[in-house]
Amino acid sequence: MQRHKKWLIITIWVSTIAFVGAGFVGWGQYSYGDKAGAVAKVGEVEISMGELQKSYSNLYQQYAQMFQGNFDEEKAKQFGLQKQALQQLTNQALLINLAKSYNLAISDQELYDQLKQDKNFFKNGVFDKETYKQVLSQSRLSITEYEKELKKQLLIQKTLGLLKVEPSQNESKILDTLLSIADKIEYKVLSSEDITIDVKDEELQAFWQTMQNNFMNEESYVVNFIKQAPVTKEYKDAEIVEYYEQNKNHFKGQDGKILELDAAKDAIVAELNDEATHKEALRSFIDLKNQKLDKSTLTPVTISKRKNPFNAEVVQKLSETTMVKPFVKPIKVKGDYYSFELVQLNPATPKTFTEAKSEVLPYFIDQKKKEKVLELANNSVTVFKGKTSDFLTIESQTPIGSLTSGESVEFVQQLFMSDKKRSFITLQSGKIVLYNILEQKLLEKPNNDQANVVARLKTGIFSEGLIKTLQNRYKTEIFMQGL
């Protein structure tokens, strides 16, 4: 056996799947109602601001769930969520261009067949048109919007369905053999937690100067706003009944069943009042826009991401304003509606060293510790004495020494990429694992499911190649700065 070289191919396949998966996540899952101008154009397909906002919002929710709520706009910026959202939409648009070039389309019958399978629209076990309308109304979507996006999703699925990749028998056997390779190693874990750093101000300041643009005072917005007080009205019984019939799905009990009219009456009146409040807020917004409001009715305030008495949507909308287009339509915040006029934009500015010092310090210490651990690894890799592992395979999940389960999996995967008998591997956590392969053998553990694994790997490689080919074929234009 030639040590691990073949594993490079497998690892590339796995990485490809991760890349393509990230690009394909969420295709067709969003329903966009915003008719704003395009932020990008891919071939003949335009991407609207509304689509980008919905894609961003969906990604934000996914990350918030992964981080168990410990996720905010600052982290979203660090992760480049806006660029990720746009990448999803551009990949989607590339496939739509391809579908159009072959005159592929989704018929009304195909659309209907898909709708009939969605249990969200079922009543008594079958698709029900009225339930369909009510569910979309509750989600504030029109039938036209929803069906347009569903057709887009189906068109992408149809296009990809015509490009299936099948594994060969030999490929499955090769993968089965590679998965059976096992190594027994001597290892030692080095951690930056064991390193102490003596911090000197002059070194810290020199470090800050190389990255000072990463430590900025917040961008802020000086605005005037108007608040619409809640509107309370009396409604005729006929109005309440009509609204109930059109929006039954809005009113459900704890058991998920639609409430009877009498039980839902208070909630119906509340929704009607909310609609009336929104309409009144829109009237005030028009007056604000046309400068018909008395200046004394406007309230000035400075808003930033950290100092935000409203909500994240307000800051997001303000970030899209300019002094030429300074107005933000009514936004609901804790039950009240607010409209905004941008008065002044205060751009972000670099912090002074004194202001940034406490923020820079952890980065400086982290970098210095990594440098020290790496230096220690280089000096000791040829002579270290460590612990001996059991036989490890690429599929090993058991924690190794002081490594966590995740770190152990990461280490094993990189170990089987390497063609070196003695070396070290740096993990994402900053830990470094010194290793020396003591023994290698081939286990007898045939796996009959390798055809599916190979199919997924080959599909990943093909998908990445397809996207790159389409990127060369269809021009992508970005109209929004910073993307």
Side-chain angles (χ1 to χ4, degrees), residues 196-337:
T196 302
I197 300 297
D198 181 24
V199 180
K200 298 179 180 178
D201 261 13
E202 56 269 24
E203 292 181 352
L204 183 60
Q205 186 164 4
F207 177 78
W208 163 75
Q209 287 174 343
T210 66
M211 54 187 307
Q212 57 183 304
N213 287 335
N214 292 334
F215 302 95
M216 307 285 286
N217 290 304
E218 278 194 300
E219 182 177 62
S220 63
Y221 310 91
V222 180
V223 302
N224 287 327
F225 73 86
I226 50 172
K227 175 182 176 181
Q228 176 59 52
V231 173
T232 302
K233 297 172 64 176
E234 296 291 331
Y235 299 95
K236 297 178 181 179
D237 288 343
E239 291 177 291
I240 293 174
V241 171
E242 181 182 5
Y243 190 85
Y244 174 76
E245 291 298 330
Q246 293 177 353
N247 302 278
K248 281 184 180 180
N249 264 13
H250 293 197
F251 313 109
K252 294 183 179 180
Q254 293 182 347
D255 58 1
K257 294 182 179 179
I258 295 175
L259 297 172
E260 296 295 330
L261 176 62
D262 289 342
K265 191 170 182 180
D266 288 345
I268 295 169
V269 170
E271 283 200 12
L272 285 168
N273 281 333
D274 185 66
E275 287 191 0
T277 303
H278 186 240
K279 288 179 181 177
E280 196 61 37
L282 284 171
R283 292 190 185 97
S284 298
F285 169 75
I286 293 171
D287 289 340
L288 172 66
K289 196 172 181 180
N290 293 331
Q291 299 183 342
K292 292 183 178 180
L293 292 180
D294 189 325
K295 293 292 184 182
S296 63
T297 64
L298 304 179
T299 305
V301 66
T302 300
I303 303 173
S304 66
K305 287 182 179 179
R306 293 183 184 177
K307 296 180 180 179
N308 180 8
F310 303 99
N311 61 23
E313 184 183 1
V314 171
V315 174
Q316 176 62 31
K317 292 293 184 182
L318 284 172
S319 71
E320 299 164 12
T321 61
T322 64
M323 297 308 297
V324 177
K325 295 182 178 180
F327 299 101
V328 175
K329 291 181 179 180
I331 296 175
K332 191 174 183 180
V333 181
K334 296 180 181 178
D336 296 314
Y337 286 93

Side-chain angles (χ1 to χ4, degrees), residues 407-425:
E407 289 170 339
S408 298
V409 170
E410 182 187 353
F411 166 69
V412 168
Q413 289 177 347
Q414 291 197 52
L415 173 67
F416 280 87
M417 282 178 61
S418 175
D419 60 356
K420 296 179 180 178
K421 181 180 182 299
R422 178 190 284 266
S423 187
F424 62 84
I425 289 170

Side-chain angles (χ1 to χ4, degrees), residues 331-345:
I331 296 175
K332 191 174 183 180
V333 181
K334 296 180 181 178
D336 296 314
Y337 286 93
Y338 296 83
S339 300
F340 299 87
E341 177 187 12
L342 178 66
V343 176
Q344 179 180 320
L345 170 63

